[in-house]
Amino acid sequence: MRKQLYWLSDEDWKQIEALLPRGRRGAHRVDDRRVISGIMHMLRSGARWRDCPPEYGPYTTIYNRFNRWSRQGIWLAMFKALTGSTGVIGTVAIDASHVKAHRSAAGGRGGSSEAIGRSRGGRTTKIHALTDAAGRPRVLMIAPGNLHDVMMAEELLSAIGPVARLLADKAYDTNRLRTFLAQHGIEAVIPSIARRKPMIPYDREAYRQRNLIERMFARLKDFRRIATRYDKLARNFLAGILLAAAITWWLN
């Protein structure tokens, strides 16, 4: 029996269709809705591209569209269009999550630039995220798994625009980040590491909301091609994350 397939709903497709490129030169594209549904199915299932169910069309069409639009930045543009960037966002949370890299992810032409790091846990990539007060991802980036969480914090915050308050765990308790937050008028809701003397007070009630970003990562990793990295190219792995996040959290 054929496993349950994923299909974009009429309402979801209505929102996505308006964001797709139009009027480009070249051969006429096959059914965009079917192809994007196929890509989402592959992200969920974690299967090899060549095992894409025939209901979506040739697997080469599904993969080539995913890869080409990743290279052209279309998935990133779609994510940004859906998340928006208007005004002060208010409270945001920051965190990172490890993803093991499958052996098929080895051999990318970019070498170390493909965001795979080696440590005692093996070869890994980290997904870095900022979420809003509702727990929805607003900024998503990837980096080698052996890079410390706090090293991506300023880049993430610079990408989101003005915010009022940042929730973060002890991994982000550094003088440099606290100085950066103070310079930008952002309240730091970060517990102090044990060796900091004296301890810096923080809003414990607000900090309780940080669990939303952990729940976001758990839900994002329901997509098997995100829970384990199979993509050689960093841009393709990130593109899958962006597409899954856009459709899961940002389509009404």
Side-chain angles (χ1 to χ4, degrees):
M1 179 181 294
R2 172 67 65 188
K3 293 182 179 179
Q4 184 175 2
L5 303 180
Y6 176 91
W7 296 103
L8 289 166
S9 68
D10 291 342
E11 185 61 31
D12 289 348
W13 175 242
K14 183 178 180 181
Q15 295 184 68
I16 290 176
E17 186 178 23
L19 304 175
L20 300 183
R22 289 285 182 268
R24 294 195 169 194
R25 294 181 179 179
H28 177 71
R29 294 201 309 263
V30 298
D31 186 347
D32 288 331
R33 182 174 182 176
R34 172 166 55 82
V35 171
I36 296 176
S37 294
I39 293 170
M40 284 292 291
H41 176 84
M42 299 307 292
L43 293 176
R44 285 183 179 275
S45 69
R48 299 178 305 171
W49 289 103
R50 66 175 59 253
D51 293 329
C52 181
E55 286 85 348
Y56 297 118
Y59 81 88
T60 52
T61 299
I62 306 303
Y63 173 74
N64 288 340
R65 179 77 61 83
F66 173 71
N67 181 50
R68 183 170 64 252
W69 282 10
S70 165
R71 184 177 65 250
Q72 295 172 350
I74 291 173
W75 305 122
L76 174 60
M78 179 187 298
F79 179 79
K80 288 184 174 180
L82 289 170
T83 59
S85 57
T86 57
V88 176
I89 293 173
T91 298
V92 297
I94 188 171
D95 206 352
S97 182
H98 276 97
V99 172
K100 281 191 172 293
H102 189 267
R103 64 178 182 274
S104 63
R109 294 179 180 179
S112 61
S113 66
E114 297 301 340
I116 296 178
R118 187 180 295 275
S119 62
R120 286 181 297 178
R123 300 169 65 254
T124 59
T125 294
K126 266 187 190 176
I127 305 173
H128 296 260
L130 282 178
T131 56
D132 60 20
R136 300 172 300 181
R138 300 295 297 251
V139 180
L140 291 160
M141 296 180 180
I142 61 173
N146 55 1
L147 186 71
H148 195 281
D149 294 2
V150 76
M151 300 300 292
M152 293 291 290
E154 292 182 22
E155 186 175 353
L156 286 161
L157 288 164
S158 297
I160 202 173
V163 300
R165 181 165 58 180
L166 178 71
L167 313 182
D169 63 20
K170 292 181 180 181
Y172 296 87
D173 179 26
T174 66
N175 292 333
R176 174 172 173 167
L177 179 58
R178 288 184 181 275
T179 299
F180 176 88
L181 296 176
Q183 290 173 344
H184 290 79
I186 302 172
E187 177 189 353
V189 182
I190 306 173
S192 298
I193 54 178
R195 66 176 179 271
R196 182 180 287 280
K197 305 296 181 186
M199 297 286 188
I200 300 175
Y202 66 99
D203 188 333
R204 292 178 180 271
E205 184 63 27
Y207 185 75
R208 294 174 60 186
Q209 297 302 309
R210 203 188 69 81
N211 76 90
L212 292 176
I213 193 169
E214 296 174 348
R215 288 155 59 185
M216 183 278 295
F217 276 122
R219 190 175 176 190
L220 188 62
K221 288 185 176 182
D222 284 340
F223 291 85
R224 294 182 179 179
R225 289 192 72 91
I226 296 174
T228 300
R229 175 175 171 177
Y230 298 99
D231 295 290
K232 285 182 170 61
L233 300 179
R235 64 168 170 78
N236 279 359
F237 183 56
L238 179 58
I241 294 169
L242 293 170
L243 178 58
I247 291 178
T248 302
W249 279 279
W250 291 99
L251 294 184
N252 297 322

